[in-house]
Amino acid sequence: EAGGRLDFGDGAPFGFAGITSASVKELGRLEEGSVSLSDTTLTFEGLAADEATAQAVRRSLRAAMPANYRLNDQIRFRDPVPSAPTVPIAISPYTGGVELEPGRVVLTGFAPTEATRAQIEQSARTRFPGRAIDNRIAIGSGATEGWQRCFDGGMLGLARVGNGRISLSDRRLDLVARTDDEDLVGALPAEVRGAVQGFCDANVRLDYAAPPEPDVRWSAKRDGAIVVLSGEVTGAATRAALLAQARRQFPSAEVRDNMRVVDNKSKGWPRAAEVALAALADVDVGEAVLDRQTVTVLGEMRYEPSALERVRERIRRDIPRGYAGREQITMLRPPAPPVPPVQSVAPPATTPRVAAPPEPSQPAPQPGASPPRAPVSAVGIACQTRLRDAARSGIISFDRARALLTGESTLTLDRIANIARTCPGVRIEIEGHTDAEGTPERNQALSERRAQAVRNYLTRRGGIDAATVSAKGYGEVRPVAPNDTPENRARNRRIDFTVTD
């Protein structure tokens, strides 16, 4: 209810009407109060229903007052009536969850108190910096003992992986994620179980997505006192590690580094290269090759079955997942014991002299047999045996009906070159043979070209003296099997080696 009387008079200051009107309007928002204006001083007092209303009245009066006016504020407000404490809803089963999405972390489930809810959110901000936190956790009672520790242990696991989700239900924690880190697959379950300290059963499922392996070729070649590392390696650290390993394994050898570094983060490839280089230590002359995801160890070793078994066991046991291993190793036969000379004993005088029987006729040569050769020394025989064993246990192949060597022949031909370099003072004939398909003239020409292709490889890439190697084609005339099945014809298509002094 308004009361009082206004009279007319001169001398009102600037803005008088506006501040008067605003004061009367704000007075209506109070439960009780009064306002008076003396020149440029406004006195405003009264009682507001709550603090928010009192603050709103003050802001409105200050906004309406001209700059030359002063406000004498005496506005009070009633104290709030305390509300009854709320009792959290009982939850069963007691659940919680975290899901990592691009750019944000979603928290769900329940927390026993507002303080616990805030602690979980702060833990998420610490473990996932740079991601927005979407906190949807509600307050509810019924949390099991150690529930918050289980929640935090699950977030630790997610932070290690960087993706996935966790779900917590009473005393069971499930973590599902994916990784390309093979070491983490084995380590993370134990880390999460250690973090939850037995307050819940932690079940970690990591889907392993292996990173693409490098498409490169690397080799380590051992020839006498020289070890040469060649090809591409996955990173400067891998290169340094392989060089250090080679110098440890072959302390008296000269280690040459012909390796090139390529950018790749594979963890399996460096391990496979280490296995290949370690296997080479048991080979006297040979090469260890890592081509894409296959390790091949080839060469020769002294007759020592246990050493050969060590190589095979190392490849089987130590080769990393996703890689394959094989060996093409020839064990040199131990030399035959010397035959003691036979003492000549004169026959008794009474023994009648008997004429020696006639020499038996020489048997006709069998199909596939080489014609008689000049006598060969023990060195030549050993060299020929090693060359033939290498050719038969390895792969020497050509494009169909052509004299072009295939890429898979390289390992065997390099091995043959290593053997040939250890055979001084002998001559090596490379024999080319075909099956009986096609005309004899065509087969003869093809066998000559293929023998010459092998000779060119051994002299140009294998470093063999061209004066000690010859090539000859025999066409289809020396089969080692009947030409009646595809398998037998494949046996007849071959490269062989003959050694003469």
Side-chain angles (χ1 to χ4, degrees), residues 413 416-417 430 454-464 497:
L413 292 176
I416 288 171
I430 302 168
V454 173
R455 180 180 184 273
N456 291 341
Y457 186 97
L458 296 179
T459 56
R460 295 173 184 174
R461 293 188 57 179
I464 307 303
F497 297 86

Side-chain angles (χ1 to χ4, degrees), residues 281-305:
D282 286 314
V283 178
D284 296 309
V285 176
E287 186 175 15
V289 178
L290 176 50
D291 192 358
R292 296 178 176 87
Q293 283 75 61
T294 300
V295 171
T296 304
V297 181
L298 66 163
E300 298 177 338
M301 63 168 53
R302 293 178 298 277
Y303 188 82
E304 189 181 344

Side-chain angles (χ1 to χ4, degrees), residues 269-281:
W269 194 97
R271 178 58 185 157
E274 291 173 4
V275 172
L277 186 55
L280 191 64

Side-chain angles (χ1 to χ4, degrees), residues 43-287:
T43 301
F44 197 99
E45 59 180 330
L47 178 66
D50 51 45
E51 183 178 9
T53 303
Q55 294 293 348
V57 170
R58 290 189 183 99
R59 287 195 297 272
S60 298
L61 290 173
R62 290 192 181 97
M65 291 181 67
N68 59 326
Y69 278 69
R70 185 172 68 87
L71 174 63
N72 181 11
D73 168 20
Q74 299 180 24
I75 304 175
R76 308 179 310 282
F77 56 86
R78 296 185 184 280
D79 293 332
V81 179
S83 58
T86 58
V87 178
I89 302 173
I91 306 299
S92 181
Y94 207 80
T95 60
V98 180
E99 185 162 359
L100 300 188
E101 297 181 354
R104 71 171 183 163
V105 181
V106 180
L107 309 177
T108 57
F110 297 90
T113 65
E114 194 64 51
T116 304
R117 180 180 186 273
Q119 289 170 2
I120 292 172
E121 180 175 330
Q122 182 56 44
S123 178
R125 293 188 187 281
T126 302
R127 297 195 183 279
F128 308 105
R131 299 198 192 200
I133 306 300
D134 184 358
N135 191 348
R136 303 178 186 177
I137 296 176
I139 305 301
S141 64
T144 57
E145 183 184 4
W147 180 87
Q148 186 177 351
R149 186 176 296 279
C150 293
F151 206 119
D152 198 56
M155 284 199 292
L156 177 145
L158 288 186
R160 292 274 281 122
V161 184
N163 67 82
R165 57 183 172 81
I166 63 169
S167 58
L168 185 60
S169 179
D170 287 339
R171 295 187 179 276
R172 178 183 175 88
L173 171 67
D174 291 292
L175 185 153
V176 179
R178 65 185 183 280
T179 182
D180 60 2
D181 187 340
E182 187 174 0
D183 295 337
L184 195 59
V185 173
L188 190 64
E191 291 183 17
V192 174
R193 285 193 294 269
V196 301
Q197 297 183 351
F199 285 107
C200 56
D201 296 325
N203 302 280
V204 178
R205 193 186 80 198
L206 279 183
D207 295 330
Y208 177 63
E213 292 298 318
D215 184 11
V216 298
R217 186 178 190 275
W218 172 88
S219 69
K221 184 177 291 187
R222 182 183 188 186
D223 188 359
I226 298 176
V227 176
V228 182
L229 307 183
S230 305
E232 296 175 320
V233 295
T234 57
T238 302
R239 178 184 190 173
L242 291 174
L243 276 173
Q245 180 183 346
R247 288 168 180 146
R248 288 193 307 269
Q249 279 186 203
F250 310 103
S252 59
E254 176 190 349
V255 178
R256 298 178 182 174
D257 177 15
N258 293 335
M259 296 181 287
R260 302 180 304 279
V261 174
V262 296
D263 184 21
N264 188 277
K265 297 181 180 179
S266 168
K267 291 188 176 180
W269 194 97
R271 178 58 185 157
E274 291 173 4
V275 172
L277 186 55
L280 191 64
D282 286 314
V283 178
D284 296 309
V285 176
E287 186 175 15

